């Protein structure tokens, strides 16, 4: 009996021990589950906070993105001016990446129509552009007049003589809200090329548009040069392609030995329509830009318009990003030492290209060749 009681007591004690152990295990499990849930909630909260912080950072980054609006207007559709526009746009894109900003470009072409130009400028102003670029002096002049009241900066591209045109007070100190690049032509240098190729030339044709500011000074310089030498010259002008074609035919009838045209946009536009008339008559056409030679003139002498476009963009960025003052930013001029010879026309005229290079080289920084095409892209293609 005593043994039975002892056995029952032992069994009861063991049962209590197992029960306590079970309770302890259950409590530990519950505690671990509670801890895991808390940790999970904490991690979720931290993840959510991180996501919110990232979204806020992205929002701040977007808010801090700087966008500059640039309005570019072209005067007419021709090889030189198009080359300027293309390089202004591509250089601004590259500079945007370099500076970490965006240059938002609006482009238009007034096609030498003053009424259209006024509307384009009005659109630029309504769109709130930070700077306008006029590709040709007439455009820059209209932009300058339109922005006098609210002083938005204006960039001029390919202005032959911006001081004489009334765009700036001086090349070194423009004096107002406009500055840019000049395609100033060394008229004496190109006239020297005419007589290097044909020392016996005694009658020179001057072909230009009287309404082009880029022609006024250059033609006056050409007349002074010819007067000093006692060389006869004939002036023929035109303000449209059809008028320029008639002027070219008149120069053939005049019996001129060569024709000079400065960086005149009207004649440039007409070059593809007149080059055969002059070449077939044996009359070399000497002009103020390589794009004339691209379109069929015998020689184009002047600035590199690709580089001019790049430098115009550099000045735009300097004004907008770095705060450069147009009034004290000097107008940029370039070395005009490159003569571009159209080899096809050279042959038609009966010149030997190698001999032309030989006689031109002492008068130029370099002599390069080109063949006839409508645009520089056509040559690359």
């Amino acid at each position: 009996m005593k043994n039975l009681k002892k056995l029952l007591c032992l069994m009861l004690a063991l049962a209590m021990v197992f029960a306590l152990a079970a309770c302890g295990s259950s409590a530990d499990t519950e505690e671990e589950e509670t801890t895991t849930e808390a940790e999970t909630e904490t991690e979720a909260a931290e993840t959510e906070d991180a996501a919110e912080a990232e979204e806020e950072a992205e929002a701040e980054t977007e808010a801090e993105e700087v966008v500059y609006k640039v309005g570019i207007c072209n005067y007419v559709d021709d090889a030189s001016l198009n080359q300027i526009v293309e390089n202004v746009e591509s250089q601004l894109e590259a500079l945007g990446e370099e500076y970490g900003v965006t240059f938002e470009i609006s482009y238009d072409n007034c096609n030498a129509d003053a009424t259209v130009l006024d509307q384009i400028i009005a659109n630029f102003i309504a769109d709130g552009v930070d700077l306008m670029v006029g590709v040709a002096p007439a455009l820059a002049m209209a932009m300058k007049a339109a922005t006098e009241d609210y002083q938005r900066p204006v960039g001029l591209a390919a202005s032959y003589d911006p001081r004489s045109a009334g765009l700036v007070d001086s090349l070194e100190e423009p004096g107002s809200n406009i500055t840019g690049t000049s395609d100033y032509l060394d008229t004496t240098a190109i006239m020297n090329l005419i007589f290097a190729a044909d020392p016996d030339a005694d009658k020179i044709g001057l072909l230009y548009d009287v309404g082009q500011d880029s022609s006024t000074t250059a033609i006056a310089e050409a007349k002074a040069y010819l007067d000093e030498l006692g060389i006869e010259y004939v002036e023929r002008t035109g303000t449209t392609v059809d008028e320029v074609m008639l002027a070219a035919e008149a120069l053939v009838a005049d019996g001129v030995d060569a024709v000079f045209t400065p960086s005149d946009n009207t004649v440039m536009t007409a070059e593809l329509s007149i080059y055969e008339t002059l070449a077939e008559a044996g009359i070399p056409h000497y002009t103020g830009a390589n794009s004339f030679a691209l379109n069929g003139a015998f020689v184009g002498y002047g600035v590199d318009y690709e580089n001019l476009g790049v430098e115009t963009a550099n000045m735009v960025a300097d004004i907008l990003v770095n705060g450069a003052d147009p009034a004290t930013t000097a107008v940029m001029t370039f070395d005009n030492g490159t003569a571009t010879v159209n080899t096809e026309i050279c042959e038609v005229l009966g010149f030997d290209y190698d001999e032309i290079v030989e006689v031109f080289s002492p008068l130029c920084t370099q002599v390069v060749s080109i063949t006839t095409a409508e645009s520089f892209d056509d040559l690359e293609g």
Side-chain angles (χ1 to χ4, degrees):
M1 191 69 173
K2 290 181 178 179
N3 292 336
L4 181 57
K5 290 181 177 179
K6 289 180 179 179
L7 180 60
L8 289 172
C9 287
L10 179 60
M11 293 175 64
L12 182 59
L14 290 171
M16 292 176 66
V17 169
F18 285 126
L20 289 171
C23 288
S25 176
S26 176
D28 291 342
T29 301
E30 290 176 1
E31 183 177 352
E32 289 176 2
E33 291 176 353
T34 300
T35 301
T36 301
E37 290 176 359
E39 291 176 348
T40 301
E41 291 176 357
T42 301
E43 292 174 357
E46 291 176 349
T47 301
E48 185 176 350
D49 290 342
E52 290 178 355
E54 185 176 350
E55 290 176 357
E56 290 177 359
E58 291 176 353
E60 290 177 1
T61 300
E62 292 176 356
E64 292 172 359
E65 182 182 4
V66 179
V67 177
Y68 295 106
K69 292 184 176 181
V70 179
I72 302 175
C73 186
N74 201 354
Y75 181 70
V76 289
D77 185 22
D78 76 37
S80 286
L81 302 187
N82 292 346
Q83 194 177 26
I84 293 171
V85 171
E86 290 166 5
N87 284 277
V88 169
E89 291 177 337
S90 61
Q91 180 68 359
L92 284 179
E93 182 179 354
L95 291 172
E97 295 178 0
E98 178 181 334
Y99 288 124
V101 302
T102 298
F103 292 103
E104 185 179 293
I105 297 174
S106 299
Y107 170 75
D108 216 326
N109 188 326
C110 71
N111 290 306
D113 188 317
T115 302
V116 174
L117 172 60
D118 289 342
Q119 185 58 57
I120 291 171
I121 293 173
N123 292 341
F124 285 162
I125 293 173
D127 291 341
V129 299
D130 298 295
L131 183 148
M132 298 183 200
V133 177
V135 186
L139 276 63
M141 180 66 77
M143 290 175 175
K144 179 183 178 183
T147 57
E148 285 178 343
D149 292 338
Y150 76 120
Q151 285 297 297
R152 286 290 188 274
V154 174
L156 62 91
S159 174
Y160 175 81
D161 188 354
R163 188 188 63 78
S164 296
L167 286 166
V168 299
D169 294 339
S170 71
L171 296 181
E172 296 76 19
E173 295 278 342
S176 64
N177 64 320
I178 185 168
T179 189
T181 55
S182 168
D183 58 347
Y184 178 79
L185 174 68
D186 185 347
T187 307
T188 297
I190 194 168
M191 299 303 287
N192 287 340
L193 296 180
I194 294 176
F195 295 101
D198 183 6
D200 297 325
D202 58 12
K203 190 175 186 179
I204 306 301
L206 304 177
L207 176 62
Y208 62 102
D209 177 357
V210 292
Q212 287 284 312
D213 291 331
S214 58
S215 294
T216 303
T217 303
I219 291 296
E221 292 171 346
K223 289 179 181 179
Y225 178 102
L226 295 169
D227 284 338
E228 185 174 349
L229 293 178
I231 301 294
E232 181 184 359
Y233 55 82
V234 179
E235 295 180 70
R236 296 292 181 180
T237 65
T239 59
T240 66
V241 170
D242 287 343
E243 289 179 359
V244 172
M245 290 171 64
L246 291 174
E249 291 171 359
L251 287 172
V252 172
D254 292 330
V256 298
D257 297 306
V259 173
F260 166 68
T261 296
S263 51
D264 185 301
N265 293 314
T266 301
V267 180
M268 170 67 245
T269 303
E271 187 65 40
L272 283 166
S273 301
I274 66 172
Y275 80 93
E276 290 178 319
T277 298
L278 295 176
E280 290 171 1
I283 301 172
H285 192 188
Y286 293 81
T287 61
N290 62 353
S291 51
F292 283 89
L294 172 73
N295 286 173
F298 172 48
V299 173
Y301 181 87
V303 306
D304 178 344
Y305 280 98
E306 179 177 346
N307 184 48
L308 185 145
V310 169
E311 293 298 342
T312 301
N314 289 341
M315 298 180 79
V316 168
D318 195 32
I319 292 168
L320 294 178
V321 179
N322 300 323
D325 183 1
T328 57
T329 300
V331 175
M332 182 175 289
T333 57
F334 302 85
D335 175 16
N336 296 310
T338 298
T340 302
V341 177
N342 186 310
T343 54
E344 295 170 338
I345 301 304
C346 186
E347 183 177 357
V348 172
L349 293 171
F351 289 123
D352 180 276
Y353 175 72
D354 292 334
E355 292 180 0
I356 287 294
V357 172
E358 185 177 350
V359 297
F360 280 1
S361 291
L363 305 173
C364 305
T365 301
Q366 62 177 336
V367 180
V368 299
S369 63
I370 204 168
T371 55
T372 307
E374 186 170 353
S375 72
F376 290 96
D377 290 339
D378 294 337
L379 293 181
E380 293 173 359

